[in-house]
Amino acid sequence: MEYLLSVDLGGTNILIALAKRKGEIVRLQQFPTGAAAGPESVWHNLLAGLEEVLCREGIPWHKLAGLGVCAAGFFDYYTRSIISSPNLPGWENISLEERLKEKLCLPVLTENDANAAAFGEFIFGAGRGKRNMVNVTLGTGIGGGIIIDGKIYRGSGGFAGEIGHIPVLPEGPLCGCGRRGCLESLSSGSAIARAGRAAIAEGEQTILKKVIQNSGGITASHVFEAARKGDAVSVKIIERANYYLGRAFATIVNILNPSLITLGGGMARAGETIFTPVRLHLKEAAIRPSGEMVEVVPAILGEEAGVRGMLALLEQHLLQN
Ligand SMILES: [Zn+2]
């Protein structure tokens, strides 16, 4: 029996899956990334995590057919390196793939985490049976992956699918990428939390004031919770975030004409508070035939989307090489 290892290297956690070749996951385990201590420390944590997963299942290294790793950040698919990553400080032009191949003497495949998650949803999740779909991850930031004719669409440099950086509001708020008015600066979890803090600072009447007194800070979930209780300021913040998300989805739909958009990530758990208005704003702004054809549904693989996508990509890679 041969096995595969699959890793989702995130800013907070490293999720590792050990799976039977063409079979199910036998172990799924999470380790802290320790990103703040820099790339060498992350490298150490990753190798130690791989060792531990194999050791606990009693699988020796020589039983492994390959390793797949997806990571957060701008990933150059053609040079196989992480150009930079807002969530992994110090990671600049790092070829994780070369380094892992040298260290482990195994076939290694690396990928951007959003592409891996999209491929996971396409093969195992809400996108099964579709040919053209887009997966959007709505959390602290906004990530995206595009599947066209059953393949990840990468663009000329490998940077396609940066849905969070669709410019939706001219001269809007400053985004983490350095530009203004990106979708991420208006509809992400951090944008919603920031809008909540700004409302308090501007002296608006909101129950978020109490939240800040009790918990010391405002998160997106606080704003969603306050909106559910009828807080007008919070309702307005959520409505605005949903409006821009729907408009950005219309842009995607007009360009790509997908049959499906899957929406996952921590914030998507808010359910119909997001889905109903986003579908409405999408339909208002998209051209009619594409807008009527596309479904917007919850992604179903949750945090496992990336490691599952990497397992499928690794199987394909091993067959072709
Ligand atoms: Zn941006």
Side-chain angles (χ1 to χ4, degrees), residues 164-165 175-177 179 182:
H165 302 286
C175 179
C177 71
R179 306 291 187 222
C182 296

Side-chain angles (χ1 to χ4, degrees), residues 49-97:
L50 294 173
E51 283 283 0
E52 183 173 333
V53 165
L54 289 177
C55 176
R56 288 194 180 249
E57 291 300 319
I59 310 287
W61 279 98
H62 72 260
K63 290 263 174 116
L64 285 176
L67 166 67
V69 181
C70 64
F74 293 116
F75 178 74
D76 186 334
Y77 181 76
Y78 300 101
T79 63
R80 325 290 309 155
S81 37
I82 296 169
I83 302 283
S84 67
S85 174
N87 299 316
L88 297 168
W91 286 63
E92 276 173 24
N93 298 311
I94 288 185
S95 179
L96 192 61
E97 188 167 305

Side-chain angles (χ1 to χ4, degrees), residues 74 162-167 173-185:
F74 293 116
E162 288 293 346
I163 286 152
H165 302 286
I166 295 176
L174 188 65
C175 179
C177 71
R179 306 291 187 222
R180 283 191 175 273
C182 296
L183 178 64
E184 189 168 291
S185 73

Side-chain angles (χ1 to χ4, degrees), residues 57-144:
E57 291 300 319
I59 310 287
W61 279 98
H62 72 260
K63 290 263 174 116
L64 285 176
L67 166 67
V69 181
C70 64
F74 293 116
F75 178 74
D76 186 334
Y77 181 76
Y78 300 101
T79 63
R80 325 290 309 155
S81 37
I82 296 169
I83 302 283
S84 67
S85 174
N87 299 316
L88 297 168
W91 286 63
E92 276 173 24
N93 298 311
I94 288 185
S95 179
L96 192 61
E97 188 167 305
E98 275 310 304
R99 218 173 148 183
L100 283 166
K101 270 184 198 160
E102 270 173 36
K103 173 81 185 169
L104 305 174
C105 295
L106 265 180
V108 176
L109 185 69
T110 48
E111 181 59 83
N112 163 277
D113 60 350
N115 284 344
F119 204 70
E121 284 296 334
F122 167 63
I123 298 286
F124 303 111
R128 266 179 302 178
K130 303 285 181 186
R131 298 279 310 157
N132 299 299
M133 64 165 282
V134 175
N135 182 57
V136 178
T137 308
L138 191 57
T140 316
I142 298 179

Side-chain angles (χ1 to χ4, degrees), residues 12-81:
T12 312
N13 289 307
I14 300 173
L15 183 64
I16 301 181
L18 174 68
K20 286 180 184 159
R21 190 88 203 263
K22 293 178 185 142
E24 77 274 25
I25 291 176
V26 291
R27 187 176 192 88
L28 193 66
Q29 201 174 343
Q30 206 170 55
F31 302 87
T33 309
E40 283 313 308
S41 168
V42 175
W43 171 252
H44 172 83
N45 294 340
L46 170 61
L47 291 180
L50 294 173
E51 283 283 0
E52 183 173 333
V53 165
L54 289 177
C55 176
R56 288 194 180 249
E57 291 300 319
I59 310 287
W61 279 98
H62 72 260
K63 290 263 174 116
L64 285 176
L67 166 67
V69 181
C70 64
F74 293 116
F75 178 74
D76 186 334
Y77 181 76
Y78 300 101
T79 63
R80 325 290 309 155
S81 37

Side-chain angles (χ1 to χ4, degrees), residues 222-233:
H222 291 135
V223 183
F224 275 101
E225 182 64 34
R228 260 193 299 276
K229 288 179 182 159
D231 180 61
V233 166

